[in-house]
Amino acid sequence: MADHQEASVTLPSDPASVSAARRYVSKVLADWGMPRDSDAADTVRLIVSELATNAVQHTLGQSPTFTVDVELERDEQLRIGVTDSHPRYPRRLPAAVQQDNGRGMVIIRCLTAECGGRLSVSPTPEGGKTVWISLPWIIGMNGGDAQPLPAC
């Protein structure tokens, strides 16, 4: 495999794009050797769903599109970023609001940490932001067997 691989897709900020983002990342990772039916793939799909949902729901109409970037460095580090054009960084909502929603960042942080990764947010030159997750690439190179990720 190459030292650096990357893929990217830009989608409209529409609820239907959440599943499109999830399918896109799933296909890219399968092409790079992650079995679609592995625990790792399930975890990454959930994280992508939450990131994309945030990009659609919490940009208050100020981001007509969002972009999903997928990068793999030297078969060691997987990075996934979701970029939108809204300047406000994600934040945990107050407990009263969390009855029906507001758990996305908690889910993302928990899954990322449990997998030995990290979450970061960086501004874009255009005034938006990218929410990045970085995870160790958990595919065993001898035979391509996926190692299970810890449950959150």
Side-chain angles (χ1 to χ4, degrees):
M1 204 176 267
D3 279 350
H4 181 82
Q5 296 187 84
E6 58 185 54
S8 179
V9 65
T10 298
L11 300 164
S13 289
D14 180 90
S17 294
V18 173
S19 61
R22 189 174 51 244
R23 283 190 309 272
Y24 177 79
V25 171
S26 183
K27 181 186 180 327
V28 168
L29 295 181
D31 290 348
W32 292 349
M34 182 182 286
R36 288 182 192 249
D37 61 349
S38 68
D39 290 344
D42 290 343
T43 299
V44 171
R45 280 191 292 269
L46 178 55
I47 291 170
V48 169
S49 289
E50 293 297 333
L51 289 172
T53 297
N54 284 350
V56 170
Q57 288 186 346
H58 300 294
T59 58
L60 308 171
Q62 293 184 14
S63 185
T65 62
F66 67 95
T67 300
V68 180
D69 294 298
V70 187
E71 301 174 357
L72 179 59
E73 287 288 334
R74 295 181 305 278
D75 292 337
E76 295 173 3
Q77 195 72 26
L78 174 67
R79 288 185 41 160
I80 299 174
V82 175
T83 303
D84 63 59
S85 56
H86 194 283
R88 188 181 71 215
Y89 278 32
R91 64 190 191 311
R92 188 174 179 177
L93 298 176
V97 178
Q98 290 186 5
Q99 298 305 313
D100 294 325
N101 61 27
R103 295 179 191 93
M105 289 307 295
V106 172
I107 292 168
I108 295 164
R109 284 182 194 281
C110 181
L111 289 173
T112 301
E114 288 293 322
C115 296
R118 63 184 181 88
L119 179 137
S120 62
V121 183
S122 57
T124 64
E126 299 79 26
K129 79 226 167 250
T130 303
V131 180
W132 288 100
I133 59 117
S134 181
L135 302 170
W137 182 247
I138 48 72
I139 300 300
M141 296 315 290
N142 50 359
D145 296 329
Q147 301 170 7
L149 296 173
C152 182

